[in-house]
Amino acid sequence: MNAGLLLRGDAPPGPGFRVDEGRCFPIRQGQEGPGPVVYWMSREQRVQDNWALLAAQDAALARQRGLVVVFTLTPSFPDASVRHYDFLLRGLAEVSQELAGLDIPFLVLCGHPPEELGAFLDRLGPALLVSDFDPAPAKRQWVVEVASQRREPMVEVDSRNVVPCRLASQKAEWGAYTLRPRYHKLLPHFLTPIPALLRHPFPASVQGAFPLPELKASLRAVYRDAPVSDLEPGARSAARQLQQFLTQGLPFYAQRSNDPNASVCSHLSAHLHFGQLSAQRIALAVQAAPAPQDAKDAYLEQLLVRRELADNFCWYNPRFASPAGFPDWARATLDLHRADVRPHLYQDSALENGETHDPLWNAAQHRLALRGHLEGYLRMYWAKKILEWTDCPEHAFELALRLNNRWLLDGRDSNGYVGVAWAIGGVHDRPWSERPIFGKVRYMNLEGCRRKFKVDDYIAHSPRPVAPLAD
Ligand SMILES: Cc1cc2nc3c(=O)[nH]c(=O)nc-3n(C[C@H](O)[C@H](O)[C@H](O)COP(=O)(O)OP(=O)(O)OC[C@H]3O[C@@H](n4cnc5c(N)ncnc54)[C@H](O)[C@@H]3O)c2cc1C
């Protein structure tokens, strides 16, 4: 089946089809209903720069139909805390406002997504259902459930990755070095200007408002952690943050991104995780910025190759959230060192509370928990010490992932699964010289950190909890 034909319909009166067919993946063929085109927004929580929403609009224009956007909110998402829901809902409030200004109705349904969406679509009889791309197992399962119940055609559009994940590679890559050459060949084709979403000329009538307070009350977040106050959610805040980064951080990124005191990183990962900002928009802005080329190259390597490599891992490796997903060499070497003496062994609660003998590690844990963000270099150090200070790699992986996903605002992202698996299980890395506990997995220590940055300054400027963090 040709996704482009499916989306185009018979007689396109609109701006034509503005989305590259390579981004569109047909989930199911079907019988078009008499209703509007529906975009099931999930991972990409933004109005502009969203290829999935553009594809849905083009399909609606081609059919002279209305366009409806629907978000299904599950009240108990795995590992989600109040801080994640707060960031998400305040971002969605902005989405709702912006869509209203373009005459596009927006609804939030609360409950088990396939059930709620199915009942809603039954009432609407849509022409077509468009969803966005997401390797998260829960989302993949929902897509399968929705597709198996529906009659109308369904198409998935990859709006997260600049080079669509399925095209960048057809298999789990060994590392950035294997993805990079192919990725850069495809990049110029996909890194194009992004057209604007238009005011939609065909009305769609749907029932339902955006009852934010009622939705908030119905949430059953796993953790009651306070919302993060340092970072404002939403696309507008993300755009401001990007502008600030382009002038204040980007020019120094190549030299100083490993110095957590330097504040040259973009701090955009939470907005990216919730889809409030498009990586493609960032990449275009970075390309056009008056910064040194080595800074742009270094930043784009992280934003494009490393970030999209993470989706590649989670999409093609079904064991991405388990030590079984580590490469063979890493599993073998960690196994060989399983019985090594651990000079420091901590309970989970001591680690979560940041009560170890290492003040740098404690400062990193306190930042992660209290600010919901941690600088990239310290994330590596933080996770590697969890391997060193717990009884086995399996426990270390489970705990690091749990703390990562609970406290970080950008947690539960492909980047997080890969970051933790890189630090503890050598994913996308290579064997290094052998040493206790780590075997051939890359090691980091406090002295190495001292050589890179002023550790004492970092500790002095880190927040301290007033009450224990662990439940
Ligand atoms: C143990 C560990 C856990 C991590 N957990 C997460 C997580 O839960 N969520 C998350 O988004 N990232 C995670 N990362 C990746 C990375 O550390 C963060 O994306 C980055 O620090 C976010 O800060 P920033 O936006 O200022 O990054 P910048 O340095 O400004 O980078 C720009 C963007 O590039 C991407 N990026 C940067 N570094 C990486 C990387 N190593 N791998 C993949 N993409 C990258 C991110 O989208 C980031 O926002 C983790 C890394 C490690 C080692």
Side-chain angles (χ1 to χ4, degrees), residues 14-150:
F17 194 64
R18 296 171 292 174
V19 182
D20 194 288
E21 287 187 27
R23 294 196 177 281
C24 309
F25 181 78
I27 301 288
R28 73 182 304 278
Q29 302 223 32
Q31 185 78 42
E32 294 199 12
V37 171
V38 175
Y39 168 43
W40 176 20
M41 176 182 277
S42 171
R43 199 185 196 194
E44 310 306 332
Q45 297 160 26
R46 64 183 179 276
V47 174
Q48 294 298 344
D49 301 338
N50 182 343
W51 292 113
L53 183 47
L54 274 168
Q57 178 165 65
D58 287 350
L61 291 173
R63 291 161 177 78
Q64 306 190 25
R65 302 281 182 90
L67 170 62
V68 173
V69 179
V70 60
F71 186 91
T72 51
L73 183 76
T74 166
S76 51
F77 200 81
D79 280 340
S81 73
V82 167
R83 72 172 43 164
H84 298 120
Y85 278 121
D86 175 77
F87 204 82
L88 177 147
L89 287 174
R90 287 163 64 204
L92 286 185
E94 212 178 295
V95 165
S96 170
Q97 252 180 15
E98 216 178 323
L99 284 174
L102 296 172
D103 296 332
I104 300 169
F106 176 62
L107 281 100
V108 178
L109 307 171
C110 196
H112 182 55
E115 264 167 43
E116 297 302 321
L117 185 68
F120 172 72
L121 296 175
D122 281 345
R123 294 197 295 277
L124 214 59
L128 182 71
L129 179 62
V130 178
S131 66
D132 44 40
F133 172 80
D134 192 341
K139 175 70 187 303
R140 283 165 92 156
Q141 180 56 30
W142 297 340
V143 168
V144 170
E145 281 180 50
V146 169
S148 68
Q149 296 160 7
R150 304 301 317 157

Side-chain angles (χ1 to χ4, degrees), residues 21-352:
E21 287 187 27
R23 294 196 177 281
C24 309
F25 181 78
I27 301 288
R28 73 182 304 278
Q29 302 223 32
Q31 185 78 42
E32 294 199 12
V37 171
V38 175
Y39 168 43
W40 176 20
M41 176 182 277
S42 171
R43 199 185 196 194
E44 310 306 332
Q45 297 160 26
R46 64 183 179 276
V47 174
Q48 294 298 344
D49 301 338
N50 182 343
W51 292 113
L53 183 47
L54 274 168
Q57 178 165 65
D58 287 350
L61 291 173
R63 291 161 177 78
Q64 306 190 25
R65 302 281 182 90
L67 170 62
V68 173
V69 179
V70 60
F71 186 91
T72 51
L73 183 76
T74 166
S76 51
F77 200 81
D79 280 340
S81 73
V82 167
R83 72 172 43 164
H84 298 120
Y85 278 121
D86 175 77
F87 204 82
L88 177 147
L89 287 174
R90 287 163 64 204
L92 286 185
E94 212 178 295
V95 165
S96 170
Q97 252 180 15
E98 216 178 323
L99 284 174
L102 296 172
D103 296 332
I104 300 169
F106 176 62
L107 281 100
V108 178
L109 307 171
C110 196
H112 182 55
E115 264 167 43
E116 297 302 321
L117 185 68
F120 172 72
L121 296 175
D122 281 345
R123 294 197 295 277
L124 214 59
L128 182 71
L129 179 62
V130 178
S131 66
D132 44 40
F133 172 80
D134 192 341
K139 175 70 187 303
R140 283 165 92 156
Q141 180 56 30
W142 297 340
V143 168
V144 170
E145 281 180 50
V146 169
S148 68
Q149 296 160 7
R150 304 301 317 157
R151 280 191 305 276
E152 64 279 353
M154 183 172 174
V155 178
E156 186 177 84
V157 180
D158 189 342
S159 199
R160 194 245 195 202
N161 297 293
V162 178
V163 176
C165 182
R166 289 185 178 91
L167 292 191
S169 171
Q170 281 77 51
K171 60 178 194 320
E173 293 292 338
W174 287 107
Y177 74 101
T178 58
L179 179 67
R180 199 178 290 115
R182 186 176 160 79
Y183 184 90
H184 280 294
K185 250 189 224 155
L186 293 168
L187 187 62
H189 179 82
F190 287 102
L191 187 53
T192 55
I194 315 170
L197 192 76
L198 307 169
R199 180 180 291 277
H200 201 73
F202 304 106
S205 119
V206 283
Q207 300 297 313
F210 182 66
L212 189 57
E214 291 99 274
L215 279 177
K216 265 193 175 160
S218 66
L219 296 175
R220 292 187 294 278
V222 180
Y223 301 113
R224 312 306 303 170
D225 306 325
V228 167
S229 56
D230 299 13
L231 198 60
E232 187 65 22
R236 279 195 290 268
S237 151
R240 279 195 301 274
Q241 178 71 24
L242 172 59
Q243 285 314 314
Q244 186 178 328
F245 168 66
L246 292 175
T247 53
Q248 294 173 21
L250 180 62
F252 315 101
Y253 193 86
Q255 281 77 36
R256 304 206 57 195
S257 64
N258 277 344
D259 177 352
N261 292 319
S263 277
V264 302
C265 292
S266 64
H267 275 252
L268 286 168
S269 54
H271 290 109
L272 282 165
H273 170 69
F274 286 95
Q276 296 171 353
L277 177 65
S278 128
Q280 184 151 348
R281 174 62 56 199
I282 305 178
L284 291 169
V286 165
Q287 278 188 334
Q293 193 57 44
D294 64 338
K296 296 185 193 187
D297 292 344
Y299 182 77
L300 292 175
E301 165 71 11
Q302 300 301 322
L303 178 78
L304 301 178
V305 177
R306 301 283 167 171
R307 180 169 178 271
E308 301 193 10
L309 179 64
D311 249 21
N312 168 279
F313 183 71
C314 296
W315 182 251
Y316 289 114
N317 187 335
R319 296 170 298 184
F320 73 86
S322 148
F326 297 171
D328 291 346
W329 69 263
R331 278 190 289 135
T333 195
L334 288 170
D335 210 29
L336 210 61
H337 290 269
R338 190 174 283 285
D340 290 0
V341 173
R342 269 95 172 135
H344 302 280
L345 263 182
Y346 291 104
Q347 299 286 330
D348 291 7
S349 59
L351 289 168
E352 188 155 16

Side-chain angles (χ1 to χ4, degrees), residues 160 245 253 257 264-270 272-273 282 299 301-308 310 373-384 400 404-405 408-423:
R160 194 245 195 202
F245 168 66
Y253 193 86
S257 64
V264 302
C265 292
S266 64
H267 275 252
L268 286 168
S269 54
L272 282 165
H273 170 69
I282 305 178
Y299 182 77
E301 165 71 11
Q302 300 301 322
L303 178 78
L304 301 178
V305 177
R306 301 283 167 171
R307 180 169 178 271
E308 301 193 10
H373 184 83
L374 186 64
E375 298 76 12
Y377 189 78
L378 278 167
R379 293 190 196 209
M380 303 190 234
Y381 180 72
W382 172 85
K384 284 189 178 289
N404 187 92
N405 289 353
L408 287 169
L409 211 41
D410 61 26
R412 300 173 299 121
D413 192 276
S414 302
N415 287 356
Y417 289 98
V418 170
V420 173
W422 173 88

